[in-house]
């Protein structure tokens, strides 16, 4: 089975609120994690990534947190907007970087209410 | 740059037919890969290539062939289509010479096998 999964399959938030999307992984050897956003009918779009030697990384309106102790990854979206509505996937690299193959979770659907 | 391009966008096949899904990238990326995405599931790796002339199997390679004669192109061949291969197929690439394994995806090909 997949080692990367998500706690919640769907998440509904009010426009302007902050969103938190969670992801669990099982392979403690994974050293690289990525969040992707996928809008309906489109390919996954890179959002942010983080190495295992970091516990936090920030981008524009997004923050990824990594807790290696409990093997947990989260994506925080500040001031969620209708354009953030999509399915969000976390992915991990399990090859130690040698090949760069990714294992994806099943995804969380984020719906933003106006 | 056009990024990662895929053709066709949609395809309907009959069981037993063969076809090739095209993927091209103009970013001079060494690594390219093919994933399939089924409803309610994350992306699963079919085949990948770390450079021209080199290919390898991913998680779900059965029923698919690939080749990598040039850096730019990475076609995926279905030898004898089956209904179980109904899915959305994504091609992705990433640059070489980098310690980041983030991959960039094309828009996808939606395949239906009757």
């Amino acid at each position: 089975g997949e080692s990367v999964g998500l706690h919640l399959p769907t998440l509904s938030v009010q426009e302007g609120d902050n969103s938190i999307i969670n992801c669990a992984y099982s392979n403690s050897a994974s050293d690289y994690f990525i969040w992707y956003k996928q809008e309906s009918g489109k390919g996954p779009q890179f959002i942010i990534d983080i190495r295992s030697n970091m516990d936090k990384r920030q981008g524009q309106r997004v923050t990824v947190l990594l807790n290696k102790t409990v093997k947990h990854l989260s994506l925080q979206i500040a001031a969620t907007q209708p354009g953030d509505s999509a399915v969000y996937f976390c992915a991990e690299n399990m090859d130690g970087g040698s090949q760069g193959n990714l294992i994806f979770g099943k995804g969380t659907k984020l719906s933003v209410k106006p | 740059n056009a990024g990662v391009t895929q053709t066709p966008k949609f395809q309907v096949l009959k069981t037993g037919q063969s076809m090739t899904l095209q993927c091209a990238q103009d970013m001079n990326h060494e690594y390219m890969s093919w994933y399939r995405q089924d409803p309610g599931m994350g992306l699963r790796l079919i085949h990948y290539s770390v450079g021209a002339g080199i290919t390898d199997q991913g998680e779900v390679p059965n029923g698919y062939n690939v080749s990598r004669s040039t850096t730019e192109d990475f076609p995926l061949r279905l030898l004898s289509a089956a209904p179980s291969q109904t899915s959305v197929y994504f091609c992705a690439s990433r640059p070489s010479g980098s310690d980041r394994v983030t991959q960039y995806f094309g828009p996808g090909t939606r395949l239906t096998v009757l």
Side-chain angles (χ1 to χ4, degrees), chain B residues 6-11 88 107-111:
Chain B
Q6 293 183 239
T7 57
K9 292 188 184 301
F10 301 95
Q11 182 70 49
V88 182
T109 294
R110 185 175 294 273
L111 176 68

Side-chain angles (χ1 to χ4, degrees), chain A residues 1 3 5-6 9-10 12 20 26 31-32 36 38 48 50 53 56 64-65 80 90 95 97 100 103 108-109:
Chain A
S3 69
L6 294 166
T10 60
S12 183
I20 300 176
S26 60
D31 62 355
Y32 201 92
Y36 284 94
Q38 186 177 27
I48 193 168
I50 189 168
N53 61 356
K56 180 179 180 180
V64 55
L65 300 177
T80 312
C90 61
D95 292 328
I103 300 295
T108 291
K109 182 176 181 179

